[in-house]
Amino acid sequence: DTEVTQTPKHLVMGMTNKKSLKCEQHMGHRAMYWYKQKAKKPPELMFVYSYEKLSINESVPSRFSPECPNSSLLNLHLHALQPEDSALYLCASSQVASNEQFFGPGTRLTVL
Amino acid sequence: ILNVEQSPQSLHVQEGDSTNFTCSFPSSNFYALHWYRWETAKSPEALFVMTLNGDEKKKGRISATLNTKEGYSYLYIKGSQPEDSATYLCAGGAGTASKLTFGTGTRLQVTL
């Protein structure tokens, strides 16, 4: 299995809602990543987990809360988001000793 | 900070044409250069990872070169086909299990 899967594909939420994005891989990768992509902009890194521990947080607001419950799963918990948080959220994974990242198809998030 | 730039922003070619795009990056603090192919609503697909100056890689009709001393990489597509239509992203890697800094991409459209 060489796939990174993400659910849901699309999510619409209000500013007071709490929702979660899910990412899963079964390639045995121990590094997992969240990126955010706004329209016509490049993907930007949000978080990196290495061996299920948060290793990089690119100064992301606390309304985004990542979680890595096991080596195959990565979640992004969302609370009190703003309309400007509407974007495509991409998950990726890699071997810890590698720079080659494998991406999921993303979750398109709209915050109303 | 790794600043990655790509040109052109978009490209429209006829089937059978050969084409190339450029990715430029700071030559200092270089670790790895990645090329991805991204079709709409799909996962970004890794094409090449290059680390050494002078690296050349090939995958079917697509090839890439790397010049780390002057800070650029070229991606070539020989005999473009409609199925090559996609956005081609390059990214600079800062190390293992670390961030990728993406360029804004080159959107290629190949018509019959």
Side-chain angles (χ1 to χ4, degrees):
Chain A
D1 187 354
T2 58
E3 230 185 359
V4 176
T5 59
Q6 290 187 242
T7 54
K9 287 187 179 177
H10 302 274
L11 179 63
V12 179
M13 60 185 290
M15 289 190 285
T16 58
N17 292 157
K18 284 186 182 181
K19 296 285 185 184
S20 296
L21 309 185
K22 182 179 172 182
C23 173
E24 194 165 2
Q25 56 86 17
H26 296 285
M27 293 180 277
H29 292 166
R30 300 299 293 278
M32 296 187 77
Y33 311 77
W34 281 114
Y35 287 84
K36 174 182 177 179
Q37 192 207 18
K38 300 278 283 180
K40 298 187 179 180
K41 298 280 188 181
E44 292 183 347
L45 182 73
M46 300 174 73
F47 303 104
V48 180
Y49 272 83
S50 182
Y51 296 112
E52 294 84 70
K53 287 185 170 27
L54 184 66
S55 59
I56 297 178
N57 176 340
E58 291 283 301
S59 303
V60 179
S62 60
R63 57 186 185 269
F64 294 92
S65 175
E67 179 198 18
C68 191
N70 61 56
S71 59
S72 300
L73 277 176
L74 183 67
N75 298 320
L76 186 63
H77 302 298
L78 314 172
H79 174 54
L81 294 195
Q82 303 297 310
E84 59 264 29
D85 296 321
S86 298
L88 180 70
Y89 289 84
L90 289 162
C91 172
S93 70
S94 76
Q95 301 282 2
V96 171
S98 168
N99 198 244
E100 186 175 7
Q101 295 178 22
F102 293 79
F103 283 83
T107 293
R108 176 76 59 188
L109 174 68
T110 302
V111 182
L112 301 175
Chain B
I1 297 173
L2 194 62
N3 189 30
V4 178
E5 296 183 352
Q6 290 187 248
S7 63
Q9 206 168 23
S10 64
L11 199 51
H12 191 159
V13 302
Q14 300 284 336
E15 183 182 16
D17 288 349
S18 293
T19 187
N20 65 85
F21 334 127
T22 305
C23 173
S24 61
F25 52 88
S27 54
S28 60
N29 203 30
F30 172 82
Y31 184 83
L33 194 286
H34 301 247
W35 281 101
Y36 285 87
R37 179 176 177 275
W38 196 2
E39 288 183 70
T40 304
K42 294 189 178 179
S43 306
E45 174 197 353
L47 290 174
F48 306 112
V49 182
M50 295 182 288
T51 55
L52 298 176
N53 184 45
D55 258 353
E56 291 187 26
K57 296 219 172 173
K58 190 174 179 183
K59 192 175 182 177
R61 294 179 290 100
I62 305 177
S63 60
T65 61
L66 180 65
N67 183 323
T68 59
K69 292 183 178 177
E70 295 181 40
Y72 65 84
S73 175
Y74 292 137
L75 187 81
Y76 301 92
I77 301 178
K78 186 177 176 182
S80 303
Q81 300 295 309
E83 57 265 30
D84 296 328
S85 298
T87 296
Y88 291 83
L89 286 170
C90 76
T96 57
S98 185
K99 72 186 290 181
L100 291 179
T101 301
F102 284 88
T104 49
T106 293
R107 183 183 293 275
L108 173 67
Q109 188 172 354
V110 182
T111 52
L112 296 170

